[in-house]
Amino acid sequence: MLSFTFDGKNSFIDYGIVISKRPNLPSPKRRVHYMDIPGRHGRVQYDEKTYEDITIVVECGLKDTENLVERLDAIKAWLFNAGESDLVFSFGEDKKYIAQVVNAIDFTQVYKYTSSFPVIFNCHPFKYEVENEIITLNETDATVHNPGSLESEPVIYVYGSGDILLNINDQSIGLNGVEGKIILNSEIQDCYDDAMNNLNSKMVGEFPLLKTGENTITWSGNVTKLEVLPNWRWL
């Protein structure tokens, strides 16, 4: 029995919806532009090193008629009111998509199933690990393994005080005048504290990425510990 979980609710358990056919899970398209230059052979390539969203079409069905009208209204409300939420399929429960329903849902009466209907999800380009657990580093010169298929954009919580130099592989990040804790969020390219006060002026350098495979993390200065929310991701 194939099903999906969206916005914390399971399609089969909560609404009696089953996936009638395993959906195609496309890989994202990389944004690469080509330009023709007069007098030059071939084209010039510009790679943005970014990816486009993907679309997943899920063919669904309902198998019983109990309270059908009310259930159909509830299904529509669930799918559309959820907005952008985590989408997890029963055939890949360790990975999630960040998705939103983008189609008008039309229920069709068909043989065997009470109703069939497609649900179209617009998804961020990558799959993410469902269990995005914090990694705690208590000593410098630590190694963090990225199991994903491309570099991740972590959130790093630095506990300490004063001036700190953080090194991730060959990248150095200076943190000036830290007062207890500073948060580096590579996903949104922002630096702040627990109260969401902007601390970008205290950071010197680029926001860190964790490459696939092994990552070496060291630091100098008065650091108590680091907490890394890794955000592992896959194409």
Side-chain angles (χ1 to χ4, degrees):
M1 183 76 69
L2 299 179
S3 63
F4 64 90
T5 299
F6 184 59
D7 191 33
K9 295 182 179 179
N10 182 270
S11 64
F12 181 71
I13 295 173
D14 294 297
Y15 296 97
I17 299 171
V18 296
I19 299 175
S20 53
K21 182 175 69 174
R22 184 163 175 158
N24 178 45
L25 303 177
S27 296
K29 180 182 178 182
R30 190 157 177 155
R31 293 195 184 104
V32 180
H33 305 282
Y34 297 91
M35 294 181 293
D36 294 312
I37 298 179
R40 178 168 177 171
H41 297 291
R43 294 187 294 172
V44 176
Q45 174 183 297
Y46 172 66
D47 187 349
E48 292 186 18
K49 297 182 180 180
T50 57
Y51 294 84
E52 297 180 359
D53 285 352
I54 62 174
T55 299
I56 300 177
V57 180
V58 184
E59 297 292 341
C60 298
L62 292 172
K63 280 194 172 180
D64 64 78
T65 58
E66 184 178 358
N67 300 320
L68 183 59
V69 174
E70 293 82 357
R71 286 172 60 202
L72 298 185
D73 289 341
I75 289 168
K76 291 180 180 179
W78 164 50
L79 293 174
F80 286 110
N81 292 341
E84 196 171 79
S85 302
D86 290 349
L87 170 65
V88 181
F89 292 104
S90 60
F91 50 84
E93 294 182 334
D94 60 332
K95 302 294 189 303
K96 68 180 181 181
Y97 294 90
I98 300 173
Q100 184 169 8
V101 175
V102 294
N103 66 308
I105 298 175
D106 296 321
F107 297 92
T108 303
Q109 194 80 16
V110 295
Y111 176 71
K112 186 178 179 182
Y113 292 102
T114 301
S115 291
S116 70
F117 55 96
V119 180
I120 301 175
F121 291 99
N122 183 76
C123 305
H124 288 203
F126 313 117
K127 292 182 292 186
Y128 294 88
E129 194 167 45
V130 170
E131 300 296 335
N132 188 28
E133 298 179 348
I134 286 180
I135 300 168
T136 301
L137 306 177
N138 294 307
E139 296 182 359
T140 185
D141 199 13
T143 300
V144 174
H145 178 76
N146 177 358
S149 61
L150 71 165
E151 60 191 11
S152 77
E153 299 173 328
V155 180
I156 300 178
Y157 304 81
V158 181
Y159 294 80
S161 60
D163 295 342
I164 296 169
L165 183 63
L166 176 64
N167 301 294
I168 299 179
N169 301 317
D170 57 356
Q171 181 181 1
S172 295
I173 303 151
L175 302 172
N176 304 317
V178 176
E179 299 177 359
K181 182 181 181 182
I182 190 168
I183 302 168
L184 313 180
N185 191 323
S186 297
E187 187 172 21
I188 63 173
Q189 299 279 291
D190 211 357
C191 185
Y192 48 87
D193 59 18
D194 281 334
M196 298 300 293
N197 294 310
N198 189 311
L199 300 181
N200 287 315
S201 62
K202 292 181 177 288
M203 175 183 166
V204 178
E206 299 294 326
F207 283 91
L209 300 174
L210 297 176
K211 65 181 182 180
T212 57
E214 303 302 315
N215 293 267
T216 300
I217 300 177
T218 64
W219 62 76
S220 59
N222 184 21
V223 176
T224 305
K225 67 176 179 179
L226 257 62
E227 291 180 343
V228 181
L229 188 66
N231 295 327
W232 305 136
R233 55 189 186 176
W234 290 258
L235 291 172

